[in-house]
Amino acid sequence: MMRTIVYISNAVKLLDEKRLNELFHYVRQINYSKNITGILLYNEGTFIQILEGEQQFLNPLFESIKQDKRHNNITKMLDRSIGERLFNKYRTRFSTVYNYWPLDDIETFLKEKKTEVSHSQTILALLRPFLNKQTAQINAASG
């Protein structure tokens, strides 16, 4: 069964670009190996991640995410079955970006998918605070 999980958490300490690169590289490797798609955003100590995949891989991945000592206050915002992946064809599934242009790209992508993928509007609503370029200093791993 295909599921999506969205969670938000706080970094234990602010991450510099080197640490973010290391984290994003690790996230891409793990998610790719488990056929997990989604997006990970980081903004001034706050993470939000959308994960999509088969339940048999997604549930253990989320359990390991909860054990990761780099963040705390992990709050699951969404956990539901999905008919299809939203991020399956977005970029390279988990690519790393470090500037503002991806925010417009992500928002446009989600808006275009609203008629194709049933949960795209829910995901857009959850990401909206992170997509505000006036307040966001975003680092993102997307996929």
Side-chain angles (χ1 to χ4, degrees), residues 102-126:
L103 297 178
D104 286 333
D105 187 44
I106 292 166
E107 188 169 16
T108 299
F109 174 80
L110 291 171
K111 286 178 178 178
E112 289 173 355
K113 292 293 185 181
K114 73 180 179 182
T115 58
E116 297 174 36
V117 181
S118 63
H119 63 286
S120 65
Q121 288 305 101
T122 303
I123 299 299
L124 180 59
L126 291 171

Side-chain angles (χ1 to χ4, degrees), residues 2 7 21 23 63 70 92 98 101-103 113-114 119:
M2 193 72 64
Y7 73 88
N21 276 329
L23 174 63
E63 289 304 313
R70 292 174 284 201
T92 59
Y98 289 103
W101 66 264
L103 297 178
K113 292 293 185 181
K114 73 180 179 182
H119 63 286

Side-chain angles (χ1 to χ4, degrees), residues 48-87:
I48 186 167
Q49 185 166 13
I50 296 141
L51 300 164
E52 303 171 321
E54 293 293 331
Q55 184 171 327
Q56 67 188 26
F57 298 116
L58 201 58
N59 289 343
L61 175 62
F62 187 65
E63 289 304 313
S64 87
I65 287 169
K66 291 190 313 188
Q67 301 303 315
D68 191 319
K69 301 296 184 200
R70 292 174 284 201
H71 64 156
N72 58 25
N73 299 323
I74 301 161
T75 303
K76 191 186 290 186
M77 300 168 63
L78 182 68
D79 183 356
R80 73 179 219 194
S81 297
I82 55 174
E84 65 181 294
R85 295 171 190 255
L86 179 58
F87 291 97

